[in-house]
């Protein structure tokens, strides 16, 4: 993923409006047929756990609350952790915790629960030793069944748990009237793997397992230690017309979908989400060279008829209707039309409408399919985090979403950080703070950006997109496949420092403070190719934070971003010096070294040394 960051926006800090966190992860389902008597509830409680070594770790919990009794106009859910777990933060409810006792109260938009209706809540927590499930839940003081089973009374949650304790959520119910579930009739994520025909679920990642690409898996598992990650769901890139049919060695679109049916049949009652990257615009990768594609700048007609149309025809095959197909739309394209019009090819793609029309066409065709979920690429904080780029990109995305007969209803959400390395969270950088009397934004690394990390950027950009006219229930994805930045245990590392900071620096010199405190240890935020020192990031996780549909691995770890020297090829791929470790840079990366690994093959090809490095430097570490 390339991108030309905007440099030196030397202007006064103006607080961004609309940064309030919105709540979108929850969803409500309408009842099918329901026999009922007042009161009653049923709970489905699932977790996604990860280990951080030494018998501790974190987890994301999903609680689907189903009202099996009379209609409710408000509700309070209580449960207790049985194994010493602690609550950190939650969404889609107002959460509080006191010791083991956890309380969630309804927000405005999900307080009405009709008979048979469900709502999905989420939270993050920590575990030590193991992570046993709570066995007893109450809703408005009434004991719930779990998965239809009545719990033993001795283990019931303490209804007297103090609701006053701290762990208050970031979600602000009153600030999110826009997250009205009425705009998003959704199937229950846990109820069935078959969405109601013609109705998309609010978050296609909830209640689903992720498709494991056998092609990527076999490369990953062949690497020493690769079995630790080989079963991770990664994006399937349709990066040329021939990728649709596949070859004797690479599965085509139908082969992947057929395999997805097999994996769906084997995963119990969960749904299955399969992610395709739609990546073949005319004049692709206009500001860089490493991922130039097969279609010339004027080949929009071929893009439509030889690429999008056949993809849409296959995805629309009714035998795939129960799969949740995520389409990640055209990496880097639209942001390039905002920030890189000084590059001739980008100016051409802007004036001939190739990108805007191509994206509009793809959204319209794919969005019409009832089980396809479109997420448009929207750069990353190190590209669009300045206000000269932030708002104009939202405007450009809307223009594309409404081109070629498309409407915003074809857009399920957006993705940030695709194939990039930006840290998910910078816990020791307060973007609006000061160090030694100087604003943090003035630091060389930050360069007046309004964001220091992807999570804050993605959440704020989501709000800006809603303001622009996208639906209020859109969700964001963040590619975390290579933004882990654990300790750099495998050389080469970046020059700044080799250990992941575990505390804020004590320096009062701004640049020293930032450089010692930052998780992202690139030489410059503008570096994007095969970064030395990077590690795999958060494993794919559904609904990890407010407004975020999932952390995903779209760039398959181990696939190169570009060759470190010129390698002739028949894919249209060029040689971009940002992939050459000896390159001393340009104005887009502050004339810094590229930070790229040596001996890289062309983009998309397997790069074993990079895969090994990404595993060694993973954060959370691989167990
Ligand atoms: C390449 C594609 C490849 C993708 C995933 C891109 O940079 O241009 O050919 O499929 O990365 O690795």
């Amino acid at each position: 993923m390339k991108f030309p960051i905007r440099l030196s926006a030397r202007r006064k800090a103006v607080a961004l409006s609309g940064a309030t966190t919105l709540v979108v992860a929850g969803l409500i389902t309408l009842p099918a047929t329901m026999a009922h008597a007042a009161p009653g509830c049923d709970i489905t409680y699932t977790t996604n756990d990860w280990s951080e070594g030494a018998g501790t770790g974190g987890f994301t919990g999903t609680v689907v609350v189903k009202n099996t009794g009379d209609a409710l106009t408000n509700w309070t859910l209580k449960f207790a952790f049985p194994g010493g777990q602690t609550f950190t933060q939650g969404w889609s409810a107002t959460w509080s915790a006191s010791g083991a006792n956890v309380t969630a109260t309804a927000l405005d938009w999900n307080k009405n629960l009709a008979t048979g209706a469900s709502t999905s809540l989420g939270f993050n927590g920590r575990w030590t030793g193991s992570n046993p499930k709570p066995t007893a839940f109450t809703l408005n003081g009434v004991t719930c069944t779990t998965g239809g089973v009545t719990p033993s009374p001795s283990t019931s949650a303490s209804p007297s748990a103090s609701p006053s304790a701290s762990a208050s959520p970031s979600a602000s119910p009153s600030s999110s009237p826009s997250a009205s579930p009425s705009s998003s009739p959704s199937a229950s994520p846990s109820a069935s793997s078959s969405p109601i025909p013609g109705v998309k679920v609010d978050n296609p990642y909830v209640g689903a397992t992720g498709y494991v690409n056998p092609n990527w898996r076999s490369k990953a598992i062949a690497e020493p230690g690769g079995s630790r990650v080989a079963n991770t769901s990664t994006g399937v890139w349709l990066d040329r017309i021939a990728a649709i049919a596949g070859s004797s060695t690479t599965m085509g679109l139908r082969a992947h979908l057929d395999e997805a049916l097999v994996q769906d049949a084997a995963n119990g009652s969960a749904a299955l989400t399969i992610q395709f990257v739609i990546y073949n615009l005319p004049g692709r990768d206009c500001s860089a060279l490493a991922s130039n594609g097969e279609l010339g700048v004027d080949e929009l007609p071929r893009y439509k008829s030889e690429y999008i149309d056949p993809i849409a025809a296959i995805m629309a095959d009714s035998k795939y209707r129960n799969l949740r197909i995520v389409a990640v739309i055209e990496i880097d394209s639209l942001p390039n039309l905002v920030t890189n019009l000084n590059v001739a090819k980008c100016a051409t793609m802007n004036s001939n409408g190739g990108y805007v029309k191509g994206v509009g066409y793809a959204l319209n065709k794919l969005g019409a399919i009832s089980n396809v979920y479109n997420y448009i690429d929207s750069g990353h904080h190190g590209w669009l985090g300045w206000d000269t780029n932030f708002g104009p990109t939202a405007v450009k995305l809307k223009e594309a979403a409404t081109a070629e007969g498309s409407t915003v209803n074809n857009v399920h959400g957006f993705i940030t950080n695709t194939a990039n390395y930006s840290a998910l969270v910078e816990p020791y950088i307060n973007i609006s703070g000061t160090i030694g009397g100087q604003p943090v934004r003035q630091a060389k690394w930050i360069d007046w950006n309004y964001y220091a990390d992807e999570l804050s950027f993605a959440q704020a950009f989501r709000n800006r997109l809603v303001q622009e006219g996208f639906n209020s229930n859109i969700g964001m994805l963040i590619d975390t496949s290579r933004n882990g930045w654990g300790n750099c245990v495998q050389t080469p590392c970046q020059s700044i420092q080799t250990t992941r900071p575990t505390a804020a620096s004590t320096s009062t010199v701004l640049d020293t403070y930032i450089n010692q405190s930052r998780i992202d240890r690139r030489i410059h935020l503008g570096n994007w190719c095969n970064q030395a020192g990077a590690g795999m990031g958060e494993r794919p996780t559904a609904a990890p934070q407010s407004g975020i549909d999932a952390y995903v691995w779209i760039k398959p770890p181990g696939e190169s971003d570009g060759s470190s020297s010129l390698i002739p090829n028949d894919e249209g791929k060029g040689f971009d010096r940002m992939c050459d470790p000896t390159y001393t840079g340009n104005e887009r990366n502050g004339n810094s070294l590229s930070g790229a690994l040596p001996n890289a093959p062309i983009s998309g090809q397997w790069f074993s040394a990079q895969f090994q490095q990404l595993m060694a430097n993973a954060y959370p570490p691989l167990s």
Side-chain angles (χ1 to χ4, degrees):
M1 156 105 165
K2 21 287 22 119
F3 57 83
I5 68 164
R6 185 221 165 287
L7 290 171
S8 304
R10 307 273 169 199
R11 84 189 68 74
K12 296 261 184 293
V14 179
L16 259 190
S17 61
T20 316
T21 311
L22 288 186
V23 177
V24 295
L27 49 97
I28 292 201
T29 62
L30 295 175
T33 54
M34 229 42 77
H36 59 92
C41 43
D42 187 61
I43 303 294
T44 306
Y45 179 98
T46 51
T47 64
N48 257 326
D49 304 355
W50 62 89
S51 164
E52 294 175 4
T56 65
F59 68 102
T60 296
T62 303
V63 189
V64 178
V65 181
K66 182 173 182 180
N67 177 21
T68 56
D70 282 347
L72 297 174
T73 54
N74 214 341
W75 50 263
T76 298
L77 172 78
K78 290 178 190 271
F79 61 89
F81 289 126
Q85 300 100 320
T86 52
F87 172 90
T88 326
Q89 181 228 22
W91 53 94
S92 299
T94 299
W95 292 85
S96 62
S98 174
N101 296 312
V102 182
T103 303
T105 54
L107 299 177
D108 268 358
W109 58 265
N110 63 4
K111 66 184 183 190
N112 288 302
L113 274 186
T115 301
S118 301
T119 189
S120 174
L121 320 176
F123 69 93
N124 287 333
R126 314 261 332 147
W127 56 267
T128 307
S130 65
N131 189 15
K133 291 183 182 182
T135 50
F137 298 82
T138 62
L139 194 70
N140 292 349
V142 172
T143 300
C144 303
T145 54
T146 47
V149 178
T150 308
S152 126
S154 61
T155 56
S156 68
S158 163
S160 58
S162 160
S164 60
S166 55
S168 112
S170 54
S172 162
S174 57
S175 68
S176 60
S178 56
S180 161
S182 59
S183 61
S184 151
S186 311
S188 165
S190 59
S192 154
S193 60
S194 314
I196 301 162
V199 178
K200 290 174 189 174
V201 297
D202 181 72
N203 180 347
Y205 291 87
V206 169
T209 61
Y211 174 69
V212 179
N213 177 351
N215 288 155
W216 180 80
R217 184 180 188 281
S218 63
K219 288 177 196 144
I221 211 160
E223 295 281 345
S227 59
R228 294 172 297 170
V229 293
N231 288 328
T232 307
S233 180
T234 53
V236 177
W237 290 60
L238 300 174
D239 64 346
R240 69 201 83 170
I241 291 166
I244 301 169
S247 67
S248 57
T249 52
T250 310
M251 295 161 72
L253 176 54
R254 263 197 194 281
H256 281 296
L257 290 168
D258 289 343
E259 167 65 16
L261 290 178
V262 173
Q263 292 185 17
D264 190 22
N267 72 358
S269 61
L272 187 120
T273 303
I274 179 168
Q275 309 163 124
F276 291 101
V277 181
I278 304 300
Y279 189 51
N280 200 32
L281 276 176
R284 191 177 74 188
D285 201 18
C286 65
S287 77
L289 303 170
S291 281
N292 289 166
E294 65 186 349
L295 298 181
V297 295
D298 290 325
E299 293 197 281
L300 181 62
R302 281 189 72 202
Y303 178 75
K304 292 178 175 178
S305 63
E306 294 179 42
Y307 182 70
I308 295 297
D309 288 354
I311 291 173
I314 294 169
M315 287 182 175
D317 187 327
S318 65
K319 76 175 172 169
Y320 305 127
R321 67 185 176 280
N322 287 338
L323 299 173
R324 297 180 184 173
I325 303 175
V326 163
V328 170
I329 306 293
E330 297 295 356
I331 312 309
D332 292 349
S333 58
L334 298 169
N336 268 327
L337 300 188
V338 175
T339 64
N340 287 314
L341 292 178
N342 58 332
V343 179
K345 191 168 163 190
C346 295
T348 301
M349 295 322 300
N350 194 42
S351 59
N352 73 7
Y355 281 5
V356 162
K357 289 179 191 164
V359 168
Y361 189 84
L363 291 171
N364 202 30
K365 279 275 171 174
L366 301 177
I369 304 166
S370 64
N371 56 326
V372 175
Y373 299 82
N374 287 321
Y375 290 83
I376 314 179
D377 185 67
S378 54
H380 55 89
H381 87 279
W383 187 353
L384 305 177
W386 292 268
D387 58 4
T388 42
N389 302 345
F390 193 81
T393 303
V395 171
K396 187 57 82 175
L397 290 165
K398 171 89 179 298
E399 183 190 341
T402 51
E404 298 283 300
S406 180
T407 71
V408 293
N409 295 329
N410 288 315
V411 181
H412 212 75
F414 295 81
I415 180 166
T416 80
N417 205 41
T418 308
N420 203 264
Y421 297 86
S422 295
L424 183 63
V425 175
E426 288 286 1
Y428 312 121
I429 299 179
N430 172 9
I431 198 72
S432 50
T434 58
I435 297 293
Q438 289 190 294
V440 162
R441 291 183 57 234
Q442 191 178 324
K444 203 163 171 247
W445 169 257
I446 307 281
D447 191 26
W448 296 102
N449 200 318
Y450 284 97
Y451 303 93
D453 59 35
E454 280 309 291
L455 180 58
S456 62
F457 168 75
Q459 290 176 322
F461 197 52
R462 180 189 175 284
N463 289 352
R464 181 64 185 79
L465 290 158
V466 171
Q467 188 189 330
E468 195 55 38
F470 286 98
N471 290 331
S472 58
N473 60 340
I474 53 170
M476 306 298 286
L477 305 178
I478 301 176
D479 187 353
T480 56
S481 63
R482 308 186 302 181
N483 70 350
W485 298 107
N487 290 334
C488 183
V489 297
Q490 182 163 357
T491 53
C493 301
Q494 300 269 4
S495 61
I496 300 294
Q497 60 185 62
T498 56
T499 52
R500 179 183 172 97
T502 54
S505 164
T506 53
S507 175
T508 54
V509 178
L510 178 58
D511 283 328
T512 307
Y513 175 91
I514 295 294
N515 287 336
Q516 290 179 346
S517 301
R518 59 185 165 94
I519 298 296
D520 183 336
R521 295 197 303 284
R522 279 177 288 184
I523 294 168
H524 191 276
L525 193 55
N527 287 349
W528 53 266
C529 195
N530 299 329
Q531 289 298 285
M536 294 169 185
E538 290 289 342
R539 311 318 168 241
T541 310
Q545 292 285 340
S546 175
I548 311 297
D549 277 358
Y551 297 150
V552 290
W553 281 16
I554 294 301
K555 176 73 181 183
E559 294 187 9
S560 173
D561 295 319
S563 59
S564 37
S565 59
L566 178 63
I567 300 178
N569 63 86
D570 60 4
E571 297 179 27
K573 305 270 171 70
F575 165 47
D576 196 300
R577 290 217 60 205
M578 287 296 285
C579 303
D580 171 357
T582 68
Y583 183 50
T584 51
N586 54 41
E587 74 284 357
R588 294 181 200 165
N589 78 336
N591 293 297
S592 313
L593 280 165
S594 70
L597 291 170
N599 305 317
I602 64 165
S603 64
Q605 289 192 358
W606 194 251
F607 186 10
S608 170
Q610 186 187 32
F611 185 80
Q612 288 296 333
Q613 179 208 264
L614 289 167
M615 286 196 299
N617 301 342
Y619 194 90
L622 301 179
S623 41

